Amino acid sequence: MDGNGRWAKRRLMPRVAGHRQGVESLRRCIRACVERGVKVLTVFAFSSENWSRPEDEVSGLMELMGKALTREVPELRKNGIRLVFVGDRQGLSECMRQSLVQAENQTADNARMVLNVCFNYGGRWDIAQAAAKLAASGEPITEAALGGATALAHVPDPDLLIRTGGEQRISNFLLWQCAYSELYFSDKLWPDFDAAALDAALAAFAERERRFGKTSDQVAHQAVG
């Protein structure tokens, strides 16, 4: 969800104002995904590298998260959306950790869609913590075991990764999980990303041929069979 700061800067507003608008965009995106039958939505809210941003921006983001939890969780619960926070909670305050657990508990029984919010998350951290978990248990580090120990093992690997803001990189997001995801880059800044932009991404995805290492002929034969 890239481009909040640039969106605000173009309007001569503080960067935090862009993040506030980004929350509104996320609300629209969640609603649109539910309406289109998406079963899992994973969003990158705060990376492990974002701590290096200006202190006032970081504190503003933390405050925004706290307010969003208070305001949004009842709506998510009502709409059947299960909320899961993914990331290193050791770097968060005790109050924030308790708030995340409480929000997860309040939506734990929902099954219409899973909303994963990656908060204090990094793809390299995820792989490292999964390997450490296996090493501590004495379990052999195989591809299947490592995948099962990642922080997103509760959902399938993503079919589609969308990045907004015009940058064409994944910036340490879902490095393990996106091995065969289709990548889609939008020039829209995140606060401007709406249902029409989502539909454009889904339409582009529908045109892709997903081979997973196979040839086009094999894929065609499998579809016929």
Side-chain angles (χ1 to χ4, degrees):
M1 302 185 290
D2 192 30
N4 292 338
R6 282 175 286 159
W7 183 92
K9 187 176 180 180
R10 290 177 184 178
R11 290 159 177 77
L12 304 180
M13 301 165 66
R15 291 177 60 87
V16 172
H19 294 306
R20 292 195 191 98
Q21 192 61 35
V23 173
E24 298 299 322
S25 183
L26 177 56
R27 184 183 294 113
R28 291 196 307 263
C29 187
I30 292 170
R31 185 184 309 117
C33 284
V34 169
E35 291 172 351
R36 286 152 181 76
V38 173
K39 295 302 181 184
V40 180
L41 174 63
T42 302
V43 298
F44 206 1
F46 189 85
S47 78
S48 49
E49 289 81 22
N50 285 158
W51 292 107
S52 62
R53 291 192 172 189
E55 185 176 345
D56 60 337
E57 183 176 353
V58 172
S59 61
L61 283 167
M62 294 300 150
E63 181 181 355
L64 188 60
M65 172 60 82
K67 290 181 178 178
L69 287 174
T70 301
R71 186 176 62 180
E72 304 298 335
V73 169
E75 191 72 14
L76 295 175
R77 183 178 182 182
K78 183 177 72 173
N79 290 321
I81 299 171
R82 178 189 171 197
L83 181 61
V84 180
F85 288 95
V86 180
D88 184 4
R89 301 192 186 186
Q90 297 305 310
L92 306 176
S93 68
E94 179 61 27
C95 180
M96 179 61 76
R97 290 199 296 269
Q98 291 179 2
S99 295
L100 300 188
V101 171
Q102 184 178 16
E104 289 177 327
N105 290 340
Q106 289 176 356
T107 63
D109 295 329
N110 290 345
R112 190 176 184 184
M113 185 177 82
V114 177
L115 173 60
N116 296 309
V117 177
C118 293
F119 194 69
N120 198 26
Y121 171 89
R124 290 178 175 178
W125 163 84
D126 193 10
I127 296 170
Q129 69 83 29
K133 190 185 300 183
L134 295 179
S137 68
E139 184 176 351
I141 301 179
T142 64
E143 183 175 326
L146 194 62
T150 62
L152 281 149
H154 60 285
V155 292
D157 289 344
D159 296 306
L160 174 64
L161 170 66
I162 300 172
R163 176 165 184 155
T164 63
E167 304 290 355
Q168 297 193 14
R169 57 177 179 269
I170 60 175
S171 296
N172 200 21
F173 185 48
L174 306 184
L175 297 182
W176 179 271
Q177 294 82 1
C178 281
Y180 277 100
S181 300
E182 296 297 321
L183 308 183
Y184 179 86
F185 300 102
S186 171
D187 288 333
K188 285 185 175 292
L189 302 179
W190 174 247
D192 295 325
F193 195 83
D194 55 14
L198 176 64
D199 285 338
L202 295 177
F205 171 76
E207 296 296 322
R208 307 278 181 91
E209 180 184 64
R210 308 194 71 203
R211 296 193 299 272
F212 298 95
K214 298 179 181 178
T215 66
S216 295
D217 289 343
Q218 286 177 306
V219 172
H221 179 74
Q222 186 178 27
V224 172

